[in-house]
Amino acid sequence: MSIGNSPEDERPFEDVSEEARPSIGRVLKDARLAAGLTVDEISTATRVRIAIVHAIEADDFAPCGGDVYARGHIRTLARAVHLDPAPLLAQYAAEHGGRPAPTPAAPLFEAERIRPERRGPNWTAAMVAAIVVVIGFVGFTAVKGGGGDSSDRTQLAEGATASTGTSATPAPKKPKPAAPKPAPSDSAIAAAPQDKVTVQVSAPNGRSWISAKDHNGRMLFDGLLNKGESKTFQDNTKINLILGDAGAIELYVNGKKIEDQFQPGAVERLTYTKGDPQVG
């Protein structure tokens, strides 16, 4: 009769380490399947591209374009399948070195270089140059007149005497430079034709990469909107927008402010038509 542990006691312990925990992609995919949704349906509901949904469910976050966008996609997909995104975001932070600093939007789109905007003429500099030219001309005339002979001065005096008692003809006023056209205001947007959709995108809280297309898919703008700048887009049918950092953006659609509470760092894909924003 032997004394010792039975074979069952020598079985290896079950692996309960973090390595046994399901991956982020597996959790999202299982929840989607449990909700009875296809990848196409989840893409339509969240506006996250189908290729990115497939990549995230395979735990490949490179197509997201950076940690900020990956976190935003994880949060969006989790909410769409009725999951609490906090544990998944904590798991992502643990697996990818903690919460990163926000990734600038511009390097993510190096394939399509940002074209510099065409700026209007600098009327302030033009006015300063005109004033300098006038002062120089007056000074040159005064110096030249002071160097004339006595006969010139006598003729000038006689001309002044002869003109005494006559009404002086006012000198013609120099035309002022045309003032630069102001940027479209909210009232101008409100007065836009009713048969068009007008969207104004402004960045009062920080900069954000934005993309705008018309109903034919033609690119209206693709670049970085710096803090304090704004862009206005108009189309006969609809405007499609992508906001790289929606929390920094304010939107006015057909003269009305969109009151959606966009989160900082969140990527939003939006479409507006002539009837937006709809009430109720």
Side-chain angles (χ1 to χ4, degrees):
M1 177 173 167
S2 62
I3 301 175
N5 296 329
S6 65
E8 294 183 356
D9 295 333
E10 295 178 358
R11 289 179 301 175
F13 293 103
E14 293 184 2
D15 186 1
V16 294
S17 65
E18 292 187 358
E19 295 180 356
R21 180 173 54 184
S23 66
I24 297 172
R26 180 60 181 271
V27 172
L28 291 173
K29 182 176 182 179
D30 289 347
R32 175 179 62 78
L33 295 175
L37 297 173
T38 65
V39 173
D40 288 348
E41 291 171 337
I42 205 72
S43 175
T44 301
T46 62
R47 301 193 181 187
V48 177
R49 285 185 295 140
I50 293 175
I52 294 180
V53 175
H54 279 299
I56 290 176
E57 289 188 352
D59 295 304
D60 180 9
F61 300 98
C64 296
D67 287 344
V68 171
Y69 300 103
R71 293 170 64 87
H73 291 326
I74 292 172
R75 184 184 294 107
T76 301
L77 294 175
R79 289 173 177 171
V81 294
H82 309 294
L83 289 179
D84 182 7
L88 297 177
L89 293 175
Q91 183 176 349
Y92 181 87
E95 294 174 355
H96 295 81
R99 186 187 182 105
T103 302
L108 303 180
F109 302 93
E110 290 182 355
E112 298 181 14
R113 298 291 182 180
I114 299 174
R115 295 181 291 276
E117 297 182 37
R118 301 179 104 188
R119 299 186 179 273
N122 191 335
W123 292 108
T124 302
M127 292 178 66
V128 171
I131 292 172
V132 171
V133 171
V134 172
I135 293 174
F137 178 78
V138 171
F140 175 78
T141 304
V143 172
K144 184 177 180 180
D149 55 14
S150 59
S151 62
D152 293 335
R153 289 195 293 272
T154 302
Q155 293 177 0
L156 184 61
E158 290 176 356
T161 303
S163 63
T164 303
T166 62
S167 59
T169 302
K173 295 183 180 180
K174 296 183 178 180
K176 295 182 179 180
K181 295 183 179 179
S185 61
D186 293 345
S187 60
I189 295 174
Q194 297 297 319
D195 60 340
K196 295 181 182 293
V197 54
T198 303
V199 178
Q200 184 190 55
V201 184
S202 59
N205 304 318
R207 66 179 188 171
S208 172
W209 173 87
I210 67 170
S211 172
K213 295 182 180 179
D214 63 10
H215 71 282
N216 290 323
R218 183 174 62 90
M219 185 68 69
L220 301 177
F221 179 79
D222 183 14
L224 191 64
L225 194 66
N226 291 315
K227 183 177 181 180
E229 292 184 342
S230 65
K231 291 287 183 184
T232 301
F233 310 105
Q234 196 172 75
D235 186 66
N236 293 330
T237 305
K238 66 179 180 179
I239 297 292
N240 296 311
L241 292 177
I242 301 178
L243 309 179
D245 184 359
I249 294 298
E250 282 186 359
L251 290 176
Y252 288 84
V253 178
N254 297 323
K256 296 181 182 180
K257 185 177 181 181
I258 301 300
E259 299 294 343
D260 291 351
Q261 298 296 324
F262 298 127
Q263 298 298 320
V267 177
E268 294 289 343
R269 289 169 171 81
L270 307 168
T271 299
Y272 294 109
T273 63
K274 292 181 289 186
D276 291 326
Q278 297 180 359
V279 179

